[in-house]
Amino acid sequence: MRLNVKAFFFNAKMDYLPYYKSFVLDVDEQDTIEKICSFIKKKDFNFDYPKKEYFYVKINGKVVNSLAKTKMIINEFGTEIVMEPVSKYRAVDDMVIDDRDFFESFKLIEPFADERDFQYFKSLYDVHYASSAFEYSLDYIGDAVLVTAYSMIKKGNKNKEEILKAISEGVSGLWDSEYENNVFLGKDYSNEIEELKNMAKKPTVSILENICYKFSKKVEIPTLESLKDINVALYFADEDVKSRLKKFGANIVEFSKSKKLAGQTLLEVNPKMAFKKGGAVLLDAMDSGAEILICAKDEDAKYFRENFGNFEKIVGREIYLEIISFNELKSMIENKKEEV
């Protein structure tokens, strides 16, 4: 079978900026990611990847073990994939990274940990580099240390308060985290992270910040006459919603952050991080060609509209995008039919 791979290239000793090269590979469904890397190496001798029993790469934004089979990858992502190192910011030579940050993060809780805790932490290497917060804070401590901290506390570690302070105060840590499971076929740790947040002392947002945020520019529910030939981006929408919108004549625009959290759960404790994430989602939709963002959930549409000015301010750009929920859109269309 044919696999189209767009691979990341960057040699820290030679390159100023990373770049991508495209390859068409003939693969067997039992070939592994490591095998695919070796095929690319045969086509381009400069391509490099870790020479280990197994390693990790990112495929279409998900962290994937090099032992994963091509069949599984194609079933999940299709035959068009983008392969990158688990951290583009820490790339040394293509898929090879400097992973010292992983072990540095453990030092936060090391004084309270034993050898079993350290071994558990090491098993979460993929979870660390799958952390979505790295996109917005390069100093983020990583989800792996949070999950390990949770495990230590649940086992009855007597230093609970010290552990919570270590991961939440004075670092880009717990309150920068809006956990998403970005590990291919990986365990979801949403409940563990949420429990940690319930245990820890919530940070306070200053009165001045609150006033500035609340009095920023908001946008209203748009009045739409028709969706015919309009470029529409969908946020957390399923295939049924997509199909119904196509019947209305809309052009569906795909964008990479269509199913990424946008800071909704961080607004009360870390509004700056929330606005970074929300602004990034809106910019991604707009820059992908969308004129309207339609949210599957009413509360998401409300979140984007009510904080619109904050999103623009933090990303430093004007955002030309109408925002509406699918339910609001349906009601608008039904009302127009009744008027006719």
Side-chain angles (χ1 to χ4, degrees):
M1 66 183 77
R2 288 287 175 89
L3 184 66
N4 297 302
V5 182
K6 186 177 179 182
F8 175 98
F9 278 74
F10 178 74
N11 185 314
K13 293 180 179 179
M14 299 171 58
D15 299 322
Y16 181 67
L17 291 172
Y19 58 97
Y20 291 81
K21 287 187 177 182
S22 296
F23 300 88
V24 179
L25 305 176
D26 290 315
V27 299
D28 185 89
E29 64 179 22
Q30 293 303 310
D31 287 337
T32 63
I33 294 300
E34 190 277 336
K35 192 73 172 177
I36 290 172
C37 286
S38 72
F39 291 157
I40 296 174
K41 180 78 172 177
K42 287 179 181 178
K43 288 178 175 285
D44 190 321
F45 184 75
N46 292 317
F47 182 72
D48 203 6
Y49 58 96
K51 306 303 188 290
K52 299 178 180 179
E53 181 182 353
Y54 68 88
F55 55 92
Y56 295 94
V57 298
K58 273 190 179 175
I59 293 181
N60 293 13
K62 290 275 190 178
V63 173
V64 180
N65 191 302
S66 64
L67 300 178
K69 301 291 180 63
T70 301
K71 180 180 179 180
M72 301 162 61
I73 297 303
I74 290 176
N75 286 344
E76 177 72 14
F77 304 109
T79 57
E80 304 273 344
I81 65 171
V82 177
M83 182 186 293
E84 298 169 321
V86 287
S87 174
K88 291 187 290 186
Y89 306 106
R90 303 191 66 80
V92 174
D93 195 359
D94 307 329
M95 299 299 119
V96 181
I97 69 162
D98 175 355
D99 62 4
R100 283 178 294 180
D101 68 307
F102 173 64
F103 296 100
E104 283 291 323
S105 68
F106 184 73
K107 291 181 180 180
L108 289 167
I109 57 174
E110 188 174 22
F112 321 112
D114 58 29
E115 181 59 26
R116 285 178 300 174
D117 297 325
F118 181 54
Q119 294 303 321
Y120 179 63
F121 171 76
K122 287 201 297 183
S123 75
L124 299 171
Y125 187 92
D126 52 349
V127 174
H128 176 81
Y129 287 108
S131 306
S132 57
F134 279 131
E135 183 177 350
Y136 306 96
S137 173
L138 295 181
D139 295 325
Y140 181 60
I141 62 176
D143 293 342
V145 74
L146 300 183
V147 174
T148 304
Y150 173 82
S151 172
M152 291 165 62
I153 291 170
K154 292 303 283 186
K155 286 193 304 183
N157 192 299
K158 64 180 181 180
N159 300 296
K160 174 182 176 181
E161 294 307 316
E162 288 82 358
I163 293 169
L164 289 172
K165 285 182 180 179
I167 62 173
S168 64
E169 297 182 12
V171 293
S172 176
L174 184 61
W175 301 113
D176 281 352
S177 173
E178 191 170 43
Y179 176 81
E180 296 177 89
N181 181 12
N182 294 318
V183 176
F184 177 57
L185 301 180
K187 180 180 176 181
D188 189 288
Y189 292 101
S190 300
N191 292 336
E192 287 85 341
I193 303 298
E194 192 59 33
E195 278 195 51
L196 270 183
K197 289 185 175 183
N198 290 333
M199 296 177 198
K201 180 182 178 182
K202 289 181 171 56
T204 56
V205 180
S206 73
I207 296 174
L208 181 59
E209 280 184 301
N210 268 321
I211 292 172
C212 291
Y213 296 148
K214 289 179 180 177
F215 284 91
S216 74
K217 170 184 170 184
K218 296 175 173 55
V219 294
E220 302 298 322
I221 301 174
T223 301
L224 303 175
E225 296 295 329
S226 169
L227 287 181
K228 185 172 174 56
D229 298 327
I230 299 294
N231 291 338
V232 169
L234 308 180
Y235 185 66
F236 275 100
D238 57 23
E239 289 301 317
D240 178 59
V241 169
K242 186 180 292 189
S243 176
R244 294 170 76 175
L245 287 170
K246 284 181 179 178
K247 290 179 180 177
F248 293 149
N251 296 324
I252 307 300
V253 171
E254 303 293 339
F255 71 112
S256 63
K257 296 186 184 297
S258 63
K259 292 192 177 179
K260 291 291 184 181
L261 293 177
Q264 295 92 328
T265 69
L266 299 175
L267 188 59
E268 298 301 319
V269 293
N270 191 346
K272 285 184 180 178
M273 178 62 87
F275 300 148
K276 282 183 182 180
K277 297 189 73 173
V281 169
L282 294 182
L283 276 185
D284 187 27
M286 184 182 77
D287 289 343
S288 297
E291 301 164 78
I292 301 171
L293 180 70
I294 299 178
C295 302
K297 297 179 181 179
D298 294 339
E299 56 265 35
D300 285 336
K302 182 180 179 183
Y303 168 73
F304 285 124
R305 289 196 299 259
E306 290 190 347
N307 296 287
F308 194 84
N310 293 316
F311 298 139
E312 285 190 320
K313 183 176 180 180
I314 208 156
V315 299
R317 286 177 59 187
E318 289 190 69
I319 300 172
Y320 302 99
L321 200 64
E322 302 279 13
I323 302 167
I324 193 169
S325 75
F326 183 63
N327 286 332
E328 291 166 342
L329 178 65
K330 280 198 305 180
S331 297
M332 196 175 294
I333 291 173
E334 288 167 3
N335 289 338
K336 286 187 178 297
K337 285 182 179 178
E338 289 178 4
E339 289 173 6
V340 174

